Amino acid sequence: KIVDGAVAVADLGPNSVDSSELVDGSIDTSHIADDQVTGAKIENNPTIAGNLTVSGDLVPSSQFSNRNVIINGGMQVAQRYTSRSTWNGAGGLYNTVDRFASNMSGLGGHTTAQVEIDDLEGFNYSHKLTSEGSQSTGAADYWYVRYRVEANDMQRFRSGAGAAGTVAMTLSYYVKTSWADTFATSIRSMDGTSRILSSDYTTAANTWQRVSHTFPADATAQYDTNTDSGLEIRWWLTAGSNYTGAQATSVANYSGDTQETGSDPAWTVTGGRTWEITGVQLELGSTATPFEHRSYAEELKRCERYCQVYKNFQSAGFWNGTASFRSWFLLRTQMRSTPSLTEKDYSSGTRGSILWSGTYSLSDSAASIVGYDFGSLYFNRAGYSGGSDMKGGIHQHQTWENILNAEL
């Protein structure tokens, strides 16, 4: 028998006693003095099978909530349309899912849609694109899905070393394709000296997989403080030779289109091929954390900084001459910039009516935005008759949905 204290640490060679020499449960907390196990003795990224209770304060090195810079990454909000068939670029880049644009050139129509899904735990919607018909890709042809981050939202990635200099950030997302192929995703800073990184990922047919790309700390990248685009992300579906050949697989100064991708996926080779994405997240650091789910109400409010849709709304105003009426309207959310106005699916009919002094006047002229100030819009609509300069009234914007767009 060995007397207590007869064997000191100095009597043991390095690593002479490991876990295989110890009986399970022979060492418990009663054998370890307070503060004897430091962080340096705990392996990186440990996994705890049971519950972890912390009696003191838990101080995370990165934030738990509001980690994700991407708005509508779960594809919950689609204010304009839920589906656009045979879309060929007409009507603008933003069509279905809010904040995600489809950009193409030289190719025929395709379908872009917000679709319900039931084969990916935790997610109800995806952004799905479907090719329509077999097409070959010319040198100048391309198709990609694009997301632009407002520069104001990129400030967390600044290193604090001056105008230039950024810390590491990680982009992650879930993707599914109907065929196996290799695709590229490019990430590009837009301020100062533009910097680009393009990374490949390979899919298996009809299988959701999570993909992540890390844009490392960079002394040259720059994010200004303004409402312009600070970062652009592109998911490439088709790329002609003008966009391949010099893929930026490590961070480099942006010098031309050939840095965007290294190959041309066979998306347009066969009609009916599909590409889907959801769970898009951009966050600090070099590790992709679980997707940060937000409520529909919260995502909608964030989306409305860039797009708002109104139907049959009223605005008070006054006659601006005898045939024109000017009115003002308080928006639900202050928008990024003065928005443009389009009327969804308008063909013909009465666009507006005015009630003044008990009299109605009708107009089929389009409204125009003549001012924007701290969340209030000022409209002007011509085509009325019988007005009296500066008399007030109520302006009814009729059945057609009015889309206000302040996208990047």
Side-chain angles (χ1 to χ4, degrees):
K1 180 178 180 180
I2 300 175
V3 179
D4 289 347
V7 179
V9 173
D11 298 316
L12 301 174
N15 302 317
S16 59
V17 179
D18 59 23
S19 58
S20 65
E21 310 291 339
L22 302 175
V23 177
D24 289 346
S26 60
I27 298 179
D28 57 23
T29 55
S30 65
H31 295 93
I32 303 174
D34 291 346
D35 302 322
Q36 292 305 297
V37 179
T38 64
K41 301 298 183 182
I42 302 174
E43 65 170 323
N44 292 331
N45 306 313
T47 299
I48 298 174
N51 296 326
L52 175 65
T53 301
V54 180
S55 60
D57 293 332
L58 177 63
V59 183
S61 60
S62 60
Q63 64 198 76
F64 283 166
S65 62
N66 295 311
R67 303 186 317 280
N68 191 7
V69 174
I70 301 297
I71 298 171
N72 200 30
M75 313 298 164
Q76 297 165 272
V77 182
Q79 296 185 80
R80 299 169 179 87
Y81 299 89
T82 56
S83 180
R84 294 295 303 274
S85 297
T86 318
W87 182 81
N88 60 1
L93 304 180
Y94 293 90
N95 283 277
T96 54
V97 175
D98 277 45
R99 304 273 28 249
F100 288 81
S102 294
N103 200 357
M104 58 83 67
S105 176
L107 297 168
H110 296 76
T111 296
T112 172
Q114 177 203 50
V115 298
E116 291 190 35
I117 58 175
D118 59 7
D119 57 347
L120 181 60
E121 183 178 358
F123 294 91
N124 195 36
Y125 293 101
S126 73
H127 184 27
K128 184 176 184 177
L129 281 77
T130 305
S131 64
E132 296 180 1
S134 176
Q135 303 176 60
S136 59
T137 305
D141 296 346
Y142 61 82
W143 189 297
Y144 57 80
V145 172
R146 186 190 75 195
Y147 187 99
R148 286 178 173 172
V149 183
E150 185 176 332
N152 282 327
D153 293 336
M154 293 299 297
Q155 299 311 300
R156 70 184 66 183
F157 300 107
R158 294 176 64 175
S159 65
T166 61
V167 298
M169 60 184 174
T170 296
L171 171 70
S172 59
Y173 49 90
Y174 292 89
V175 66
K176 183 174 79 169
T177 60
S178 61
W179 82 107
D181 211 332
T182 299
F183 300 81
T185 300
S186 61
I187 306 172
R188 179 184 167 195
S189 65
M190 305 302 287
D191 293 318
T193 300
S194 180
R195 302 279 279 173
I196 187 172
L197 174 68
S198 178
S199 303
D200 289 340
Y201 64 93
T202 300
T203 63
N206 302 309
T207 304
W208 283 106
Q209 63 188 70
R210 196 177 194 204
V211 178
S212 65
H213 313 282
T214 295
F215 195 108
D218 188 79
T220 304
Q222 178 175 329
Y223 303 121
D224 296 338
T225 307
N226 54 47
T227 59
D228 298 330
S229 176
L231 187 83
E232 180 167 308
I233 304 166
R234 294 180 178 182
W235 292 270
W236 289 84
L237 277 71
T238 298
S241 58
N242 290 358
Y243 302 90
T244 63
Q247 185 179 17
T249 54
S250 59
V251 179
N253 289 347
Y254 181 77
S255 60
D257 294 334
T258 57
Q259 294 174 294
E260 298 280 3
T261 179
S263 61
D264 177 24
W267 185 51
T268 60
V269 170
T270 303
R273 286 189 166 178
T274 61
W275 180 92
E276 295 180 67
I277 189 170
T278 193
V280 182
Q281 181 156 288
L282 179 67
E283 59 189 313
L284 281 167
S286 55
T287 301
T289 66
F291 179 74
E292 180 187 358
H293 291 275
R294 292 190 284 252
S295 70
Y296 176 83
E298 186 175 358
E299 291 288 21
L300 176 60
K301 182 61 67 175
R302 295 183 184 210
C303 289
E304 285 180 339
R305 177 167 172 79
Y306 305 92
C307 174
Q308 295 182 31
V309 179
Y310 294 89
K311 183 176 181 179
N312 275 343
F313 67 96
Q314 294 181 337
S315 54
F318 58 88
W319 284 93
N320 183 30
T322 58
S324 178
F325 194 82
R326 181 163 296 185
S327 59
W328 60 91
F329 182 73
L330 183 63
L331 301 176
R332 292 187 289 262
T333 301
Q334 183 171 338
M335 303 190 76
R336 182 188 66 86
S337 61
T338 300
S340 62
L341 171 65
T342 57
E343 294 168 319
K344 176 180 174 181
D345 295 336
Y346 173 79
S347 56
S348 63
T350 300
R351 281 182 164 111
S353 65
I354 300 170
L355 175 62
W356 61 287
S357 301
T359 302
Y360 276 102
S361 182
L362 305 179
S363 171
D364 192 34
S365 297
S368 60
I369 295 174
V370 294
Y372 174 70
D373 183 32
F374 296 105
S376 293
L377 274 182
Y378 298 87
F379 293 95
N380 195 75
R381 192 188 297 275
Y384 294 107
S385 61
S388 179
D389 194 29
M390 299 305 292
K391 266 196 172 180
I394 300 297
H395 190 185
Q396 176 81 14
H397 299 266
Q398 298 287 62
T399 305
W400 317 108
E401 291 187 19
N402 295 269
I403 301 175
L404 302 176
N405 182 65
E407 289 284 5
L408 290 160

